[in-house]
């Protein structure tokens, strides 16, 4: 029997689509994130998803309003998972830590505490950072280069593993009669000194129930893939299609094998942005509404600081339509005619096809609700979300096809807006996924649910190698 896929919810309280917060009924106030986090966590646990995943970004600025509004103001990931530990009982909780700026001892302490407080449900996503502004926020002149960041990240993993292993099995004796609390021979220092990090230890938190929390990593550079292959339990990919995902999964498994690991021990996880409704047509209507809610402008310079890609002029430049073409005088809400579409190149034609597939709007349609407008094309081009649109069966077909093609071991589910779309996924798609045997893993800890087995005790290996 085929094992169920891994399903996690990638939590973005303002929604994963830049216009999601504008959708009627959507959460739009980060000062009330506590309430929406509780609601998401309870829905996810009731749906029997495997984990909640919290990303991170160490800076902010007004430019993010248009690009990624959910990054403008957000709860610290460690704080979020510790908060949700008290309102959940079974679901895994994965927090992101930036190894370029984080302190490894503090990270080991916080994550071991998370694992103890949740009975073995903690996980940690390690990133090296891509935001230059983060350097100034941490007292540095510049963001480290790729090689330097990954040198530190590799040492960071070693330190985490050694600190998590500070307390050996059986170290706590707690013999009231003899008055012996611990076996000091089973309390071990980290004793690590590398080029970037030096940590003494031991950790002043008891041994995590999982031994090692599951490690997550994402990236496309050779160093990133190598780190995922050698150390990650979950490797996150962002492949544009099923064939690219299948190749990426094969490469990550090969990297694991090259590092001396069982290739199957690396679980490859792909992101997915499902828009779910009772029918395919209703789901397309949701996407149609999202496209209409993307802030756009007709011409350059109409709003200070407005991205050029969010304008009709910018779109026409991108698809290389002649500067004297009649479309240059159009407005965003004008209908796009078949004659104009016939003059589009490959880029414009592809966007027309995507809009038709996701919203049902086509050039030349004779009804307002199905007529293609410039607004739809500009929004689809400016915000290239990889929607999977449809009813429960359509969404399940997508997951099933990726599994059958060997493209992924699981998925991080994004929601265009909260809570409506996440709850639609949970109430409509999840029962279909369970019926098909695609969802429904089990296990007392997150490691168990992910099928990871016992962790590799690297501290013992390191000590043996040095002796």
């Amino acid at each position: 029997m085929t094992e169920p896929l891994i399903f996690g919810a990638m939590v973005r309280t303002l929604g994963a689509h830049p216009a999601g917060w504008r959708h009627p009924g959507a959460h739009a106030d980060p000062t009330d994130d506590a309430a929406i986090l509780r609601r998401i966590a309870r829905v996810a646990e009731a749906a029997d998803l495997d984990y909640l995943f919290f990303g991170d970004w160490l800076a902010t600025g007004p430019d993010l309003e248009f690009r990624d509004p959910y990054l403008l103001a957000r709860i610290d990931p460690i704080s979020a998972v510790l908060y949700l530990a008290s309102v959940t009982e079974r679901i895994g909780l994965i927090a992101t830590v930036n190894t370029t700026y984080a302190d490894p001892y503090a990270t080991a302490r916080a994550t071991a505490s998370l694992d103890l407080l949740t009975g073995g449900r903690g996980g940690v996503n390690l990133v090296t950072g891509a935001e230059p502004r983060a350097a100034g926020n941490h007292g540095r002149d510049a963001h480290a280069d790729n090689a330097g960041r990954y040198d530190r990240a590799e040492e960071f993993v070693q330190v985490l593993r050694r600190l998590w292993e500070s307390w050996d099995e059986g170290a706590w004796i707690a013999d009231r009669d003899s008055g012996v609390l611990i076996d000091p021979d089973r309390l071990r220092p980290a004793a690590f000194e590398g080029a970037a990090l030096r940590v003494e230890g031991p950790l002043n938190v008891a041994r995590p129930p999982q031994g090692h929390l599951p490690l997550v990593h994402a990236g496309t550079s050779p160093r990133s893939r190598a780190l995922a292959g050698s150390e990650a339990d979950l490797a996150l990919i962002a492949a544009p299609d099923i064939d690219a995902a299948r190749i990426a999964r094969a490469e990550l498994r090969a990297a694991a094998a090259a590092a001396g690991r069982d290739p199957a021990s690396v679980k490859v996880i792909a992101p997915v942005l499902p828009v779910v409704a009772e029918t395919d047509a209703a789901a397309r209507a949701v996407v149609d509404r999202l496209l209409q809610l993307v802030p756009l402008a007709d011409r350059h310079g109409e709003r200070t600081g407005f991205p050029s890609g969010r304008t009709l002029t910018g779109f026409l430049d991108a698809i290389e339509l002649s500067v004297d073409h009649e479309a240059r005088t159009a407005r965003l809400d004008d209908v796009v005619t078949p004659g104009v579409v016939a003059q589009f190149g490959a880029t414009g034609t592809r966007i027309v096809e995507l809009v038709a597939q996701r919203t049902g709007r086509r050039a030349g349609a004779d009804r307002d609700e199905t007529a293609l407008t410039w607004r739809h094309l500009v929004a689809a081009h400016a915000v290239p979300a990889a929607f999977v649109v449809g009813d429960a069966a359509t969404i399940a077909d997508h997951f099933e096809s990726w599994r059958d093609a060997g493209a992924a071991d699981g998925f991080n589910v994004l929601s265009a807006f909260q809570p409506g779309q996440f709850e639609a996924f949970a109430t409509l798609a999840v029962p279909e996924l369970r019926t098909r045997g695609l969802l429904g893993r089990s296990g007392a800890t997150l490691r168990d649910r992910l099928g990871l087995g016992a962790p590799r005790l690297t501290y013992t290996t390191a000590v043996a190698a040095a002796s």
Side-chain angles (χ1 to χ4, degrees):
M1 181 177 177
T2 304
E3 187 178 34
L5 292 164
I6 295 166
F7 279 96
M10 185 172 280
V11 181
R12 296 177 179 175
T13 57
L14 287 184
H17 190 273
W21 65 272
R22 298 186 67 195
H23 198 276
H27 176 70
D29 183 1
T31 65
D32 196 29
D33 272 1
I36 198 67
L37 287 175
R38 291 194 303 270
R39 185 165 174 174
I40 291 169
R42 287 166 177 154
V43 169
E45 188 160 76
D48 202 26
L49 301 190
D50 298 306
Y51 58 81
L52 296 168
F53 179 98
F54 291 84
D56 203 12
W57 198 255
L58 298 179
T60 192
D63 55 299
L64 294 174
E65 176 185 352
F66 303 109
R67 178 162 57 93
D68 292 305
Y70 73 93
L71 294 177
L72 276 167
R74 59 188 300 172
I75 302 296
D76 165 70
I78 293 288
S79 301
V81 295
L82 288 171
Y83 173 68
L84 293 178
S86 65
V87 299
T88 57
E89 296 179 353
R90 303 181 309 279
I91 196 166
L93 299 167
I94 299 177
T96 294
V97 172
N98 191 315
T99 61
T100 303
Y101 301 108
D103 176 80
Y105 189 92
T107 299
R109 191 168 186 243
T111 53
S113 298
L114 167 67
D115 211 42
L116 282 162
L117 292 170
T118 60
R121 295 189 283 128
V124 57
N125 174 45
L126 299 178
V127 301
T128 65
E131 170 55 86
R133 287 175 290 194
N137 291 341
H138 291 81
R140 304 186 190 184
D141 293 331
H143 194 48
D145 61 20
N146 190 69
R149 296 200 312 273
Y150 275 96
D151 288 344
R152 180 181 169 90
E154 289 167 359
E155 292 186 5
F156 202 101
V157 174
Q158 294 181 56
V159 172
L160 280 184
R161 294 192 188 280
R162 290 190 182 203
L163 288 170
W164 285 336
E165 293 176 29
S166 292
W167 295 93
D168 204 351
E169 295 285 356
W172 284 92
I173 296 173
D175 188 323
R176 290 184 173 86
D177 293 335
S178 66
V180 175
L181 182 61
I182 68 168
D183 178 349
D185 292 334
R186 297 191 179 193
L187 176 59
R188 303 180 295 200
F192 182 89
E193 184 166 0
L197 299 173
R198 182 174 69 85
V199 178
E200 294 296 333
L203 189 65
N204 64 339
V205 178
R207 186 182 185 88
Q210 298 182 97
H212 293 181
L213 281 69
L215 292 179
V216 186
H217 187 61
T220 57
S221 72
R223 287 293 297 275
S224 174
R225 290 288 175 90
L227 180 62
S230 64
E231 302 294 346
D233 299 301
L234 299 185
L236 309 186
I237 62 171
D241 54 54
I242 194 169
D243 291 331
R246 182 176 49 78
I247 292 169
R249 181 171 179 260
E251 290 175 346
L252 285 162
R253 288 190 156 202
R261 301 175 62 190
D262 176 1
S265 67
V266 179
K267 311 297 184 182
V268 177
I269 308 298
V272 65
L273 180 53
V275 174
V276 194
E278 292 279 1
T279 65
D280 286 345
R284 288 194 293 268
V286 173
V287 177
D288 187 84
R289 182 65 173 142
L290 287 170
L291 292 182
Q292 293 184 60
L293 291 172
V294 175
L296 303 175
D298 285 307
R299 307 282 180 260
H300 295 323
E302 293 187 2
R303 290 176 61 181
T304 302
F306 199 76
S308 62
R310 294 285 186 93
T311 67
L312 177 53
T313 302
F315 173 74
L316 296 175
D317 290 343
I319 65 172
E320 299 180 342
L321 210 58
S322 170
V323 293
D324 58 358
H325 194 279
E326 62 184 63
R328 295 283 173 170
T329 62
R331 308 294 290 185
L332 281 167
D333 292 313
D334 288 349
V335 171
V336 182
T337 65
V340 171
V341 170
Q343 299 173 58
F344 285 2
T347 300
T349 300
R350 178 181 56 82
I351 295 168
V352 170
E353 292 170 350
L354 277 177
V355 170
Q357 176 189 351
R358 295 171 177 174
T359 71
R361 290 184 176 264
R362 303 179 185 278
D366 58 3
R367 297 199 309 272
D368 288 344
E369 63 268 25
T370 58
L372 179 66
T373 72
W374 289 106
R375 181 176 297 279
H376 291 86
L377 296 181
V378 177
H381 179 256
V383 185
F387 292 119
V388 179
V389 185
D391 63 9
T394 299
I395 302 301
D397 286 345
H398 174 84
F399 292 122
E400 196 163 33
S401 65
W402 278 56
R403 182 201 63 183
D404 293 347
D409 300 297
F411 297 88
N412 275 342
V413 177
L414 294 145
S415 297
F417 53 88
Q418 293 286 0
Q421 265 303 296
F422 184 56
E423 292 179 350
F425 175 80
T427 58
L428 299 174
V430 161
E432 179 69 17
L433 295 171
R434 189 175 290 113
T435 296
R436 299 191 190 192
L438 297 171
L439 181 148
R441 302 173 72 89
S442 61
T445 68
L446 180 56
R447 291 192 71 89
D448 292 339
R449 285 192 74 109
L450 299 177
L452 299 178
R456 296 169 291 149
L457 300 179
T458 54
Y459 182 97
T460 305
T461 302
V463 171
S467 61

